[in-house]
Amino acid sequence: MMMFYFSFLSRMPFGAAEPALTLKQYALFFERDFYRFLTWRSIMLGVHVTVFCVLIGYPAALILARSVEGRWREAILLLVVLPFWSNALIRIFAWTMVLRTDGVIDQALHAIFPWAPSLGILYSYPAIVVGLVHSFVPYMILTCYISLQAIDGALIEAARSLGASNFTIFRRIILPLSLPGLVVGVILIFVPTVGAFMEPRILGGTQSIMLGTVIEDQFTEVFNWPLGAALSFTLLAIVMLIFAAAYPLLRNRLKLA
């Protein structure tokens, strides 16, 4: 609430001069194409990261829930949550050692194929996506795993006994019943990715400028907290509008589930 109040101030509320209440900070977002362009880039980054997390996380959760049993399942689940126990900054800097030219990937590749070109992608948009997918894919695995684990196996066996193929069972039973976990995973990944600033700044180089990095600069470099707060709440409003627009579709799908 305090930051929401700051977003309507003309200047920092510290010092002798009293700040005035104004909408100037919000008006800047609509007056400058720069902010709208960065908002679009941040949203597209959120879409790309979320899509990759779905493509990686959902099949992993499906295999974990339906094909792995016993202590192997517990061991793999532990490996999934293990990254949460390490500092995010350490994980990101570890990726710089992997993705840079002549990094871990390049050395392994050139040890097998000495003539192969470098695969170093550090300081690029793909490097940002890789870092964010690594950070957030455990959320998708865990939320989907919980939904998939709750599906009654008797439903699948009944469908199979009636002659349904594996694809039909997945399309008509598994996917609809696991949709709530998938939706929760999408929300948990998309929202923080749109406002991410640490991964873009460290892994992105010249591609690092997102709205999240600009907001961080307003708080830590420029000390223009009112503008940083206004940009933050504007981004939050845009994300909420996106989910509000998607709500009718999600509601129908979840009803079917």
Side-chain angles (χ1 to χ4, degrees):
M1 291 301 295
M2 182 177 292
M3 284 300 164
F4 188 62
Y5 169 70
F6 278 13
S7 69
F8 292 101
L9 298 181
S10 58
R11 57 186 300 278
M12 290 280 285
F14 309 121
E18 285 292 327
L21 291 175
T22 177
L23 292 174
K24 183 183 71 174
Q25 314 297 349
Y26 287 95
L28 286 175
F29 178 84
F30 297 98
E31 291 172 357
R32 298 181 181 177
D33 295 339
F34 175 68
Y35 294 132
R36 295 197 299 277
F37 170 71
L38 291 184
T39 302
W40 174 250
R41 282 192 72 186
S42 299
I43 291 173
M44 292 311 299
L45 177 65
V47 170
H48 293 154
V49 171
T50 304
V51 168
F52 279 112
C53 285
V54 170
L55 294 177
I56 297 171
Y58 188 87
L62 184 60
I63 294 171
L64 194 59
R66 313 307 303 184
S67 302
V68 181
E69 296 181 350
R71 292 186 176 180
W72 278 108
R73 178 184 293 173
E74 297 171 3
I76 294 174
L77 274 175
L78 180 63
L79 291 176
V80 170
V81 300
L82 203 57
F84 290 136
W85 298 352
S86 62
N87 185 280
L89 200 58
I90 293 175
R91 294 199 303 268
I92 298 171
F93 275 108
W95 274 113
T96 65
M97 302 300 293
V98 174
L99 300 176
R100 68 183 175 89
T101 302
D102 201 27
V104 175
I105 293 178
D106 266 5
Q107 291 182 12
L109 178 67
H110 290 153
I112 302 172
F113 306 106
W115 62 87
S118 172
L119 293 181
I121 58 171
L122 186 61
Y123 305 133
S124 66
Y125 184 82
I128 301 173
V129 174
V130 169
L132 287 168
V133 169
H134 175 249
S135 296
F136 291 119
V137 76
Y139 290 106
M140 183 61 68
I141 295 176
L142 291 177
T143 55
C144 290
Y145 171 78
I146 292 171
S147 291
L148 290 164
Q149 183 67 16
I151 297 175
D152 190 349
L155 289 173
I156 298 174
E157 291 303 322
R160 187 169 286 120
S161 66
L162 293 173
S165 64
N166 288 333
F167 178 72
T168 301
I169 292 173
F170 174 77
R171 184 173 61 87
R172 301 293 296 273
I173 298 176
I174 295 177
L175 182 59
L177 292 179
S178 62
L179 205 54
L182 190 61
V183 172
V184 171
V186 167
I187 294 172
L188 288 177
I189 293 168
F190 180 78
V191 174
T193 299
V194 170
F197 62 90
M198 195 160 54
E199 290 87 351
R201 188 176 296 284
I202 297 174
L203 299 175
T206 57
Q207 302 295 318
S208 68
I209 303 177
M210 303 287 170
L211 194 62
T213 58
V214 172
I215 291 171
E216 188 216 6
D217 285 341
Q218 296 302 320
F219 281 99
T220 61
E221 300 291 336
V222 186
F223 296 106
N224 189 351
W225 289 20
L227 180 57
L231 292 175
S232 298
F233 283 106
T234 303
L235 183 61
L236 176 63
I238 292 172
V239 170
M240 291 179 68
L241 285 175
I242 292 173
F243 282 114
Y247 177 72
L249 176 64
L250 294 176
R251 182 182 57 187
N252 293 334
R253 294 290 183 184
L254 292 175
K255 280 182 178 178
L256 288 176

